[in-house]
Amino acid sequence: MSDGRRSRAWIDVDAGALRRNYRTIREAVGPDAALIPMVKADAYGLGVEEAVAALDAEDPWGYGVAAAGEGERLRELGVEGPILVTSPLPPGSEARAVAWGLTPSISDVPALDRLADAARDADAPVDFHVEMDTGMGRAGFDWRDAAEWGIAVAGRGSGRLRWTGCFTHFHSADEAEEPVRRQWKRFRDGLRALPVEEDDLMVHACNSAAALRTPEYAADGARPGIFLYGGFTGQGLPDPEPVAAVRGRVNFVRDASPGSTVGYGATHAAEGWERWATVALGYGDGLPRVLGNRGRALVRGRPVEIIGRISMDVTVVEVGGMDVTAGEVVTFVGRDGDVEIPLREVAGHVGTIDYEILTGLTPRLPRIWSSGRAGEGDG
Ligand SMILES: *Cc1c(COP(=O)(O)O)cnc(C)c1O
């Protein structure tokens, strides 16, 4: 606890839990599916360098990112295997993707032509995957026209350009099986209409929720993200192990007499005598402001209430009869002792999903990774 990075507020990240969550996905999809852990957005806000160090020990097929710059960063970290860029490259990013040996995904023919130009300029070979839209709608060739665009893509996918994969993305795997089945059928129909041997393509579709709900659709591969980082994937699906804990230190304690008020707008007034602990962490750290007068925190493994509005830099909790002093640790997300505030509780207050809470944690919070091995805590 003498770590200087734990002096104010921080995120504890459990590398062993991340690896065990990966293994849960691995067990669901079986040994043959290639896993492409998604490490976009700085590994869902938790720190891509350490995430990759932990995941490398599980020997994934490759990594998935959303942008060429994220792929470049992985190369700088020493990643040598395939790096799939799952979002379409905005025009102008192609040369960067080629230079760093990334695998772009292609959603239309003009994008493929731009990639071909970049490959020619660099005189470098480029693998690409094709995204097929089966209902997500934000990218991809339409599955209904696969016969036509398939010919255009296959015609260009020779020489420096190699068409090595095809994927789709499920829009409702977190909610139900039926929409996943419908999209899968469209994907299969589209694949059958392509003028290339399916065996020559790596076929992948499942995000975390689909890998757990319909592992039979993991085909050649799956692209899990949120589950690895401890996020909720849907009712009836296994819970991940918590990976991140958001904590801050008490920097001020006062005994508040009846009627005393706290925070902007003075939205909380002490009813009787209360003990207020101010914690050095606020919305400037990514703690959602709507948790004011609504959310919980943990002190010494006990739940306490957040009172008043959350400020940019501090949050106040009512610690009841506890003899809390400055320097004590307060947990706003994650485990403290045997008690846990799950990410989804916080996301629920905000009316959002775990993804947005994680990626909304700001750079002000150091990410402090345990070196945890996968077997730790397995009992
Ligand atoms: C983010 C993303 C994933 C991972 O989804 P999770 O729900 O986090 O498991 C998979 N595929 C694509 C194309 C994505 O953009």
Side-chain angles (χ1 to χ4, degrees), residues 1 6-8 10 247-253 277-280 298-301 319 322-331 336:
M1 289 308 264
R6 287 194 175 90
S7 59
R8 177 187 169 265
W10 66 96
R247 310 191 205 274
R249 285 200 192 271
V250 173
N251 62 3
F252 180 75
V253 181
T278 304
V279 189
L298 302 172
V299 181
R300 299 179 189 174
V319 295
M322 269 190 282
D323 185 21
V324 169
T325 54
E328 283 201 47
V329 176
V330 179
T331 299
D336 177 19

Side-chain angles (χ1 to χ4, degrees), residues 51-60 63 78-79:
V52 163
L55 290 165
D56 267 349
E58 302 293 330
D59 201 21
Y63 289 100
V79 172

Side-chain angles (χ1 to χ4, degrees), residues 38 40 44 86 138 167 169 207-209 223-226 355:
M38 299 298 297
K40 57 191 179 186
Y44 289 51
T86 56
R138 65 185 182 183
F167 71 97
H169 193 55
N207 58 0
S208 301
R223 307 182 305 272
I226 190 69
Y355 307 64

Side-chain angles (χ1 to χ4, degrees), residues 64-78:
V65 295
E70 294 178 339
E72 177 176 340
R73 171 109 169 91
L74 289 187
R75 289 284 182 242
E76 285 168 352
L77 292 172

Side-chain angles (χ1 to χ4, degrees), residues 299-323:
V299 181
R300 299 179 189 174
R302 280 176 51 184
V304 296
E305 284 181 9
I306 296 173
I307 55 170
R309 289 193 187 142
I310 291 176
S311 297
M312 187 185 295
D313 311 309
V314 296
T315 298
V316 181
V317 295
E318 208 283 306
V319 295
M322 269 190 282
D323 185 21

